[in-house]
Amino acid sequence: MNEDLKLLTALGCAGAVIGIAKMLSSTEKLKPRQIVGRAILSGALGVAAGAIVLLFPGIGFVPQIAVACILASLGVSALEVLFNRFLNK
């Protein structure tokens, strides 16, 4: 497996695990569909963290994983608020 695919897999897995962990730590009643949906969404956010290399071309593996975890922890709604604030300046 080449290095890029390994990185994307690691970013996606880190995001998915964070998303599932957030759901499991909440008190809301969980349904399998919600768990799978959160894992997919958070995994996609983790993979999107790979775009950080566009801003910082020499960034290493560990910082990319850290960004993936941050994005997955924030979630879609928090990122939407941040982007709206940034774009509406």
Side-chain angles (χ1 to χ4, degrees):
M1 194 183 309
N2 68 23
E3 293 301 312
D4 291 336
L5 188 55
K6 285 181 187 177
L7 177 62
L8 287 178
T9 303
L11 292 173
C13 288
V17 168
I18 297 266
I20 291 172
K22 278 179 63 176
M23 286 194 80
L24 293 176
S25 66
S26 74
T27 57
E28 86 180 76
K29 197 167 190 169
L30 301 176
K31 296 178 182 171
R33 181 178 171 179
Q34 290 173 311
I35 295 171
V36 171
R38 177 65 62 94
I40 291 170
L41 187 58
S42 296
L45 285 174
V47 171
I52 193 74
V53 298
L54 298 174
L55 295 173
F56 305 103
I59 193 167
F61 180 75
V62 174
Q64 285 185 24
I65 294 292
V67 171
C69 292
I70 291 168
L71 288 177
S73 293
L74 286 174
V76 173
S77 56
L79 289 174
E80 194 174 311
V81 169
L82 287 174
F83 281 128
N84 282 331
R85 285 185 184 171
F86 177 73
L87 293 174
N88 292 329
K89 281 188 175 184

